[in-house]
Amino acid sequence: MLNGLRRSYCFSSFTFKISLIRASRLLTAAANISSQDGEKKKKNEEYRTFQEEWTEEFTFVERAGSAVCLICNDKIASMKRSNVKRHFDTRHATFASKYPAGDSRKKACDCNSASFAGSLAIVRNGKPFTDGEYAKTFMLDVANELFDDLPNKDKIIKRIQDMSLSARTVHDRTIMMSNQVEETQVKDINAAPFFSLALDESTDVSHLSQFGVIARCWSTRGEDLFKSFMEFAQENNLPMDKLLSVCTDGALCMLGTNKGFVALLREHENRPILSFHCILHQEALCAQMCDGQLGEVMSLVIRLINFIVARALNDRQFKTLLDEVGNNYHSLLLHSNVHWLSRGKVLSRFAACLNEIRTFLEMKGIEHPELAETEWLLKFYYLVDMTEHLNQLNVKMQGIGNTVLSLQQAVFAFENKLELFIMDLETGRLLHFEKLRQFKDACTASEPTQNFDLHRLAGFTSSLLQSFKARFGEFRAHTRLFKFITHPNKCSLNTANLSYILGVSVRDFEAEVADLKASDMWVNKFKSLNEDLERIQIHAAPEVALMVSIITTLFKRINSEAYYTHI
């Protein structure tokens, strides 16, 4: 029995030793695997970051976290050596054989990048593609003089000579950059939480119907525009579920009740979508009221300008006349209905050169008695001042950074100004009509008993005001929703219509607004933000700031005197 116990103990000891050996081997293997995984992970991380040698080997550079080909300007989504190599070998095999890896390929890449920069400058400034060769010749001439004292002048000249800026090259570079911009826009749209559309249907100089920048079509029906847009959206995988609003030019094919683009889009998406008529376009349509009521004035101005400017001999003679009399301007401006600011600028220039225009017409033996009639000139100078006010509104509404709330407030503020203009004309002060006041003062000085029918001009202004109030209906309907952006702590819960905003729970929204109104921290935060906005507005309106300061000081003094009198 003792021997049996010894054998059992020896067997157990042997088994335990084997287990220890196996465990040790397993731990060693696990450590090796972990080490290999770490090295593999480190290697993968290195492979997924841009390597500087890729520039000389495969003509790639890193821009905004992506690998960009210097030859075709394409981007590689996954930054791996294999992907970069595959792109270079399959698409640029000819380039690889023509420029072997080394200095020759590096020089070619530098010239190619410079070619893209030159093409971008040509397109951005609206120059024809054929100007590329001129730009290259210009750079060579300048470099030959500018770098004359540098030791590497010949190298610089050679780099410029190797840069391709032919018309074909500029054309190809432009197409590549355009495709990249489109791809970037589609990528940004997909990444955004919501997006809106701005659509315009117009006709170009060749009478071809153009649908914004999205598609080209031969028909302007709402169904055709909708079909073209949906093809574009499907081709670029636009996330239509993120579409929040649509801004159009107000055409019937866009806003038709049943077959308009917006109606078809809402029907396709089966949900409400905000729709707006472009606020700048509506302002321009309101401004056309001036042409309608004072059409005979604008018509004569355009005819006279065309007679002078459109004929080469008349244009040269008129320019000579302006130079002889020392006028600040050297010519008149042609009118264009497409350019919204054109009307005001044309009238202002015509008014500045009116005396010279009369003299020139007398030299040509052409009679236009309207140019000396008080009634016609009264309307003319009124139109000059009013179009200047309209141009100021239009420019104020343009530019980057304007929100829908600021645009809406600019329009409503101009409506208030129109009411002020009506009163200004009815009382005869003409504080806001500088050119009209100067003409009236000049006529009064020569003939004190002369009467001026300013009430008729006030009627024109009243019609313009009614035109403004009749438009901008979509913006007036959503005023409370827009105000919620700046005053969320003051708006009631039932004023903000959230049916247009996807993914927002009305229940959670109402509960969060209730918490926000009761939170002193957030209420004070919005108050401080509004105070900052007030300070910015005061800087923009110094006269108002001065009056506020005077009134505030006056009330403080009155309160102080009342206090000491009471004591």
Side-chain angles (χ1 to χ4, degrees), residues 75-146:
K75 289 183 179 181
I76 301 298
S78 181
M79 202 177 294
K80 296 181 181 179
R81 179 184 176 86
S82 58
N83 294 345
V84 174
K85 186 177 185 301
R86 186 186 306 112
H87 174 92
F88 181 74
D89 293 340
T90 55
R91 295 196 180 185
H92 309 300
T94 306
F95 182 88
S97 59
K98 185 176 181 180
Y99 299 101
D103 293 339
S104 60
R105 182 173 296 180
K106 185 177 180 181
K107 292 179 181 178
C109 292
D110 294 338
C111 293
N112 200 55
S113 180
S115 177
F116 271 102
S119 302
L120 179 60
I122 291 173
V123 176
R124 182 176 290 170
N125 290 278
K127 301 299 181 182
F129 295 157
T130 52
D131 280 5
E133 290 293 347
Y134 162 74
K136 184 176 178 178
T137 304
F138 171 80
M139 285 188 287
L140 285 171
D141 294 341
V142 171
N144 193 38
E145 299 295 333
L146 188 62

Side-chain angles (χ1 to χ4, degrees), residues 48-87:
R48 293 182 182 276
T49 57
F50 185 83
Q51 305 298 319
E52 294 183 359
E53 60 266 18
W54 292 356
T55 301
E56 295 186 10
E57 292 184 35
F58 310 119
T59 68
F60 269 82
V61 294
E62 184 181 13
R63 291 177 183 170
S66 301
V68 181
C69 179
L70 289 174
I71 301 176
C72 63
N73 217 33
D74 280 353
K75 289 183 179 181
I76 301 298
S78 181
M79 202 177 294
K80 296 181 181 179
R81 179 184 176 86
S82 58
N83 294 345
V84 174
K85 186 177 185 301
R86 186 186 306 112
H87 174 92

